[in-house]
Amino acid sequence: MIVKKRARIVEKISTGIEGFDDITGGGLPRGRTTLIMGGPGCGKTVLVLQALVNAATRHGVPGIFVSFEENAELVEENAESFGWDMVELQKKLLYFLNAQLTPDAVKVGEFDLTALLAGLEAKATEMGAKLVVFDALDVLLSLLDDWAAERRELYRIQAWLKRTGLTGILTTKTEEDKSPTAPRYGFMPFMADAVVVLRQRVIDRVAVREMRLVKYRGSPHVLNEVPFVIGEDGVEVGASNGIHPEPQPFKMRVSTGIDRLDGMLEGGIYRGTNVLITGSAGTGKSMLSGLFLEAACRRGERALFVSFDENSRDIVRDLSSVGVRLAPHLKSGLLHIEAVRTEAASSEEHLIRIKRLIREHKPACIAVDPFSALVKVGGELAARNVAERLIYLCRNERITAFLTSLIEGTDVTLETTPLHISTLADSWLQLSYSLHGGERNRALTIIKSRGSKHSNQMRELIFSDSGITLTDPYTAGGEVLMGTLRIEKENAVRTLAERKRHEVDHKRREVELILAARDLRLAGTQRDLLDCSEELDTLARAEMTITSEGTQRQDAVVRKRDNELVKEQANGAKPAGGKPRKRSKAAGKQP
Amino acid sequence: MSRSATASSQPLPGAYVFRIYIAGGQPNSVRALANLYTLCRQHFPESHRIEVIDILKEPMRALAEAILVTPTVVKVSPAPEQQMIGNLNDENEVLRALGLPRTKTS
């Protein structure tokens, strides 16, 4: 069997920089040379410094930083500002070399970099360094007379790196405006195994940083330009390639904060999923977001409200007008409201900020309102990328998210989202205005909800002092009734019911009356019956008395007579009582 | 490694003291060394001292003394210290850096 030998893939050193290891497929090529190019202020130094610091702190890999331009102390200070403990690191794992020539050094002929390289080699051996950074190599090269000399020295560095087996990272400045015509710009990428170009652009007056992996010998890599930011923790690259791990969806349901909406969704939304709420201005997206978070806080969960272009106080006030009370939860610390100015940063920076908030506040529920504000800055493509990554982040962190999206215009049939994230969203609620009968009524439709059956009916959304709710659906002629029409319908239904109730009431009273009358009559009859039987008794008694008196009188006469005769006479007198006669006194009161 | 190039090991008062950093037998280093000897013989035949440091043999000194390139020549005295980088082929620059008059031969 012939086994095809796979090409050896370059061994890599992880930089530990979020996103950067993704686009490079694992980091920088081990034992090779990487070149970082970019204009001034692009973040070259921070990037390489971070790679060095991460290698040292996370993997215990010692490294050397050679600074040709900036004073090493400044670089250290810069590093400290990102929270990297340079003092501790420099005890063992990091070595900083100030490699600036004294300014009054005079050039008196040809020279080369042997001294520096020999010194570094000795140092690297001494401390066991695996990584070496040459920061601002262009400054060093500019000391050389001609480009042939530059080329020669670059070869020298390359050969040196190869021989020592060190992983080299070189940075060099490129002029923003000028095309890279200087020979070194052409030659340096050629000699390097991996080349990263950093760029800073201004889109809509917002500065955006981007990087592109121009070349990576012997390794698959992402060629696209990807955004990156320099945040408080250093560089973060906005890479969204590759497959994101999908956590097992929660089986638990979470309330949306509106009972009736939960009902429409079979008991709420799944925990850890996201809900996209789209709608034009004023349809109630913020209200729904607020309500959702209030419900979360009432369950004792931590919640985060990221609001673009509206400050915290206004949000609390606006929501309290519809009965959503956020203030107590803000006070208790369960809820955090972060008001963000859209134009203050690029969408990438916003994401970093939201990420940090999530890390710090650890919310179970989050609302970003409006999520579509991200589009306003830094271009749509970048924003979409950011949106995607935020959704993935929430999913991975199992945070239930409400993301709102503003739809411009009032076309209710418009069901597209500016970020095209509707396919990513787990549930999608559409808020709209229904224009009918000269009215504008808020309406809510569930467009989709993954993994649950849901009502397909449009409902009217009612905001009142006492809260937010959805009405019962009233349909007429194939249309859902809203506003006045709904109220009319409701009234009509109510009137009808009222009338029915009246009718029944009336009937009941009538029947009761009849019943009472009959009872009365029945009682009379019974009394008559009783009277009759009593009279009958009296009569019987009277008869008995008469009979016995007669008998006594005859006794004296008959005593002397035959016993049998006496008996016959007494028996014959007894059955003379007769039947009781009926009286018809109360017969005139028949109904 | 250092060696004195003067006859007497004691530097005279007001003597020129140079330190030259070289990289073994590399052409530029060899040339620099030769140029420095010539310069010293021409300008201060009686009062100079040259200390030669081979970076390939003492590499840590390069870092400790902030020497990035070879050859590098440092005029240690008289004060102030003056650093020159290169093989000293550019004689005019060398003389100007050292504050010496141009030689008649050049």
Side-chain angles (χ1 to χ4, degrees), chain A residues 462-483:
Chain A
I462 307 265
F463 292 174
S464 68
D465 298 346
S466 54
I468 301 171
T469 192
L470 293 167
T471 58
D472 281 328
Y474 285 110
T475 52
E479 259 194 272
V480 177
L481 299 181
M482 288 185 190

Side-chain angles (χ1 to χ4, degrees), chain A residues 194-389:
Chain A
V195 178
V196 182
V197 174
L198 307 186
R199 197 155 72 112
Q200 187 170 324
R201 287 195 293 161
V202 175
I203 305 171
D204 301 334
R205 287 182 293 163
V206 173
V208 177
R209 289 189 161 103
E210 283 157 325
M211 71 164 65
R212 194 163 96 82
L213 196 53
V214 177
K215 159 182 173 181
Y216 200 146
R217 269 187 203 136
S219 167
H221 60 275
V222 174
L223 272 169
N224 300 338
E225 195 162 57
V226 293
F228 76 100
V229 293
I230 300 175
E232 282 172 37
D233 306 323
V235 172
E236 252 182 74
V237 180
S240 72
N241 61 297
I243 300 137
H244 288 259
E246 289 271 319
Q248 283 296 305
F250 269 82
K251 297 278 177 264
M252 259 166 66
R253 299 267 189 176
V254 176
S255 171
T256 57
I258 303 174
D259 289 346
R260 289 200 174 181
L261 182 56
D262 293 344
M264 286 168 78
L265 289 159
E266 274 197 318
I269 47 170
Y270 283 117
R271 188 175 283 284
T273 63
N274 59 75
V275 179
L276 174 69
I277 303 171
T278 56
S280 47
T283 43
K285 299 181 297 298
S286 305
M287 305 284 178
L288 244 56
S289 306
L291 202 60
F292 165 66
L293 294 185
E294 192 208 19
C297 288
R298 270 195 271 145
R299 291 191 300 268
E301 291 171 13
R302 300 181 71 80
L304 174 66
F305 198 129
V306 181
S307 169
F308 284 99
D309 299 325
E310 197 175 1
N311 69 49
S312 170
R313 221 183 26 242
D314 289 349
I315 295 165
V316 173
R317 189 201 55 215
D318 293 351
L319 284 168
S320 70
S321 73
V322 288
V324 181
R325 315 247 174 269
L326 296 179
H329 304 303
L330 268 179
K331 204 176 254 175
S332 74
L334 274 179
L335 176 69
H336 179 80
I337 298 181
E338 183 81 1
V340 186
R341 287 258 299 111
T342 315
E343 268 141 46
S346 69
S347 48
E348 197 65 38
E349 281 168 299
H350 286 312
L351 178 70
I352 300 290
R353 189 161 172 186
I354 295 171
K355 269 180 166 173
R356 184 172 307 113
L357 283 168
I358 287 174
R359 248 193 331 264
E360 284 166 6
H361 191 65
K362 297 184 177 58
C365 296
I366 177 175
V368 183
D369 178 52
F371 195 43
S372 50
L374 288 174
V375 144
K376 276 176 35 186
V377 284
E380 197 178 317
L381 205 70
R384 199 182 307 169
N385 178 296
V386 163
E388 270 179 31
R389 277 183 293 134

Side-chain angles (χ1 to χ4, degrees), chain A residues 389-421:
Chain A
R389 277 183 293 134
L390 183 60
I391 286 176
Y392 284 132
L393 175 77
C394 289
R395 224 177 257 175
N396 287 343
E397 302 280 326
R398 315 211 150 181
I399 297 167
T400 316
F402 263 47
L403 311 167
T404 69
S405 182
L406 181 72
I407 291 172
E408 305 285 350
T410 50
D411 186 359
V412 288
T413 56
L414 195 71
E415 288 179 354
T416 54
T417 49
L419 291 170
H420 304 279
I421 50 165

Side-chain angles (χ1 to χ4, degrees), chain A residues 38 44 141 152 281 311 352 369 379 456 480 486 532 553:
Chain A
K44 300 182 296 294
L141 295 178
R152 190 189 64 220
N311 69 49
I352 300 290
D369 178 52
N456 60 356
V480 177
R486 172 184 52 81
C532 287
R553 254 180 272 127

Side-chain angles (χ1 to χ4, degrees), chain A residues 95 97 99-102 104-116 118-120 122-123 126 156, chain B residues 23 26 28 55-56 59-60 62-63 67-71 82-90 93-94 97:
Chain A
Y95 174 72
L97 179 67
Q100 295 100 36
L101 282 173
T102 42
D104 51 359
V106 182
K107 208 154 62 174
V108 288
E110 276 181 36
F111 58 89
D112 57 61
L113 299 174
T114 311
L116 175 72
L120 287 176
K123 188 70 195 173
E126 183 194 271
R156 193 186 304 281
Chain B
Q26 279 188 354
N28 277 331
I55 286 299
L56 297 185
M60 288 303 240
L63 301 186
I67 301 304
L68 305 179
V69 300
T70 40
Q82 174 68 52
Q83 202 181 82
M84 293 175 284
I85 54 173
N87 59 14
L88 307 184
N89 269 4
D90 191 342
E93 273 301 313
V94 174

